[in-house]
């Protein structure tokens, strides 16, 4: 099959690397579970969902789209996505009531929201559902896809993975809008969407909105290993051994592991 980008790019970014926790509703998007209990997402389904989301989002005006990114690893990519598509942003802490309380100075009335992590941005998902706002979300194996209209299964904790995901989604939207007629005309480069390690502390400080000082530090935490989420200790369910859900893409396990090691 034809992918939006070279298959190796997905592996190098660690887009398929899940966590050791599985939410039951994410099972259809899981390719397999490894011997170390790490769940692996199906890249073919990730690719297909980015296409579907791009087509859907292209039907909205740029100012009708609100992209929300609270994690350090997603803020930079989300900001670049907004630059490329004209979408509005919520970078850093999501202030409760932004989508429901008209008295707030930060109140917004988007027609659709893009969620970077349904666990970190759970309150935003609930508010969107309450207000009848469409939701597109990047969901890892430990993320609940409840109230999400378009699920994009992917590692949403790694900076490289987030950079690639937002790059592809932005490019797909512009193609469906007719702004570009082929991918080569997209003016942004993939590297622009990937936050460099040395930029991360500054990016976190700049991206935080007024009042973000009160944000819980736990929400800002980034996994110690790039592209590989740390197991959520609050989840009591231990993953059970599973067999492969689908036939594996035409890549060897050895090559896959080699690409993952470069995701850092």
């Amino acid at each position: 099959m034809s992918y939006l980008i070279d298959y190796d790019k997905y592996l190098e970014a660690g887009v398929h690397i899940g966590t050791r926790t599985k939410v039951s509703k994410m099972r259809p998007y899981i390719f397999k579970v490894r011997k170390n209990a790490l769940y692996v997402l199906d890249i073919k389904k990730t690719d297909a969902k980015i296409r579907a989301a791009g087509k859907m989002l292209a039907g909205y005006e740029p100012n009708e789209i609100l992209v929300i990114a609270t994690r350090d690893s997603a803020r930079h990519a989300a900001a670049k996505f907004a630059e490329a598509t004209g979408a509005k942003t919520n970078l850093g802490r999501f202030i409760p009531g932004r989508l429901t309380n008209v008295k707030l100075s930060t109140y917004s009335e988007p027609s659709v929201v893009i969620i970077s992590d349904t666990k970190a941005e759970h309150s935003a998902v609930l508010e969107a559902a309450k207000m009848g706002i469409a939701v597109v979300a990047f969901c890892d194996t430990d993320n609940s896809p409840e109230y999400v209209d378009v699920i994009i299964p992917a590692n949403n904790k790694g900076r490289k993975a987030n950079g690639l995901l937002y790059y592809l989604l932005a490019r797909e939207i512009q193609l469906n809008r007719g702004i570009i007629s082929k991918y080569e005309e997209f003016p942004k480069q993939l590297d622009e969407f990937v936050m460099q390690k040395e930029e991360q502390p500054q990016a976190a400080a700049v991206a935080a909105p007024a009042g973000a000082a009160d944000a819980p530090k736990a929400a800002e935490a980034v996994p110690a290993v790039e592209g590989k989420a740390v197991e959520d200790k609050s989840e009591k369910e231990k993953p059970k051994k599973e067999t492969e859900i689908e036939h594996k893409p035409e890549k060897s396990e050895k090559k896959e592991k080699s690409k993952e090691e470069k995701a850092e």
Side-chain angles (χ1 to χ4, degrees):
M1 82 174 264
S2 174
Y3 291 94
L4 291 172
I5 199 167
D6 186 81
Y7 183 83
D8 284 352
K9 292 292 185 182
Y10 278 122
L11 295 180
E12 290 169 3
V15 168
H16 61 307
I17 305 297
T19 70
R20 291 188 174 87
T21 299
K22 177 193 70 177
V23 173
S24 60
K25 290 184 179 180
M26 286 301 294
R27 190 180 188 283
Y29 306 103
I30 295 174
F31 173 60
K32 68 177 182 179
V33 59
R34 291 181 177 164
K35 292 180 180 179
N36 64 356
L38 187 70
Y39 288 99
V40 178
L41 291 159
D42 190 333
I43 291 178
K44 182 170 66 175
K45 293 184 178 180
T46 300
D47 190 272
K49 286 293 189 173
I50 292 175
R51 292 175 191 269
K55 186 174 182 179
M56 170 199 171
L57 292 167
Y60 293 91
E61 292 298 322
N63 61 6
E64 291 182 305
I65 302 172
L66 175 65
V67 56
I68 301 172
T70 58
R71 286 181 178 274
D72 290 347
S73 57
R75 291 176 185 173
H76 178 86
K80 290 299 179 181
F81 170 87
E83 286 180 16
T85 63
K88 294 182 178 180
T89 61
N90 184 119
L91 306 178
R93 182 192 178 199
F94 178 82
I95 298 176
R98 174 160 188 176
L99 303 179
T100 57
N101 189 346
V102 295
K103 295 181 179 181
L104 287 180
S105 60
T106 55
Y107 177 70
S108 296
E109 294 183 275
S111 297
V112 59
V113 294
I114 300 174
I115 301 294
S116 301
D117 185 327
T118 61
K119 180 180 288 187
E121 290 131 29
H122 184 59
S123 59
V125 174
L126 292 179
E127 289 191 17
K130 181 178 180 179
M131 301 303 293
I133 299 170
V135 178
V136 173
F138 294 108
C139 296
D140 209 330
T141 63
D142 63 344
N143 287 170
S144 170
E146 189 174 10
Y147 303 122
V148 177
D149 298 289
V150 179
I151 301 167
I152 303 177
N155 165 14
N156 56 17
K157 300 171 181 64
R159 61 186 180 83
K160 289 185 179 180
N162 278 312
L164 179 58
L165 292 168
Y166 271 112
Y167 167 78
L168 292 176
L169 184 57
R171 193 181 67 173
E172 201 65 16
I173 289 173
Q174 296 302 75
L175 181 70
N176 281 281
R177 282 176 175 170
I179 304 299
I180 60 175
S181 59
K182 53 185 179 180
Y183 293 142
E184 291 75 16
E185 295 177 358
F186 189 58
K188 299 287 186 179
Q189 299 299 314
L190 173 57
D191 289 347
E192 296 178 49
F193 283 72
V194 180
M195 181 192 298
Q196 300 305 309
K197 288 184 178 180
E198 58 271 19
E199 295 176 2
Q200 196 162 335
Q202 292 88 338
V206 173
D214 299 324
K217 291 186 177 180
E220 308 298 333
V222 178
V225 181
E226 176 64 22
K228 186 173 180 180
V230 177
E231 182 178 6
D232 186 349
K233 299 300 183 181
S234 65
E235 297 283 352
K236 298 299 182 182
E237 175 189 14
K238 293 185 179 179
K240 298 179 181 179
K241 185 176 181 181
E242 296 181 12
T243 56
E244 293 189 2
I245 296 172
E246 293 191 9
H247 290 297
K248 188 173 182 180
E250 297 178 357
K251 294 288 175 180
S252 67
E253 181 76 15
K254 182 176 180 180
K255 186 171 183 179
E256 183 181 317
K257 289 183 179 180
S258 175
K259 296 298 181 182
E260 292 161 15
E261 290 172 357
K262 297 178 180 179
E264 171 56 38

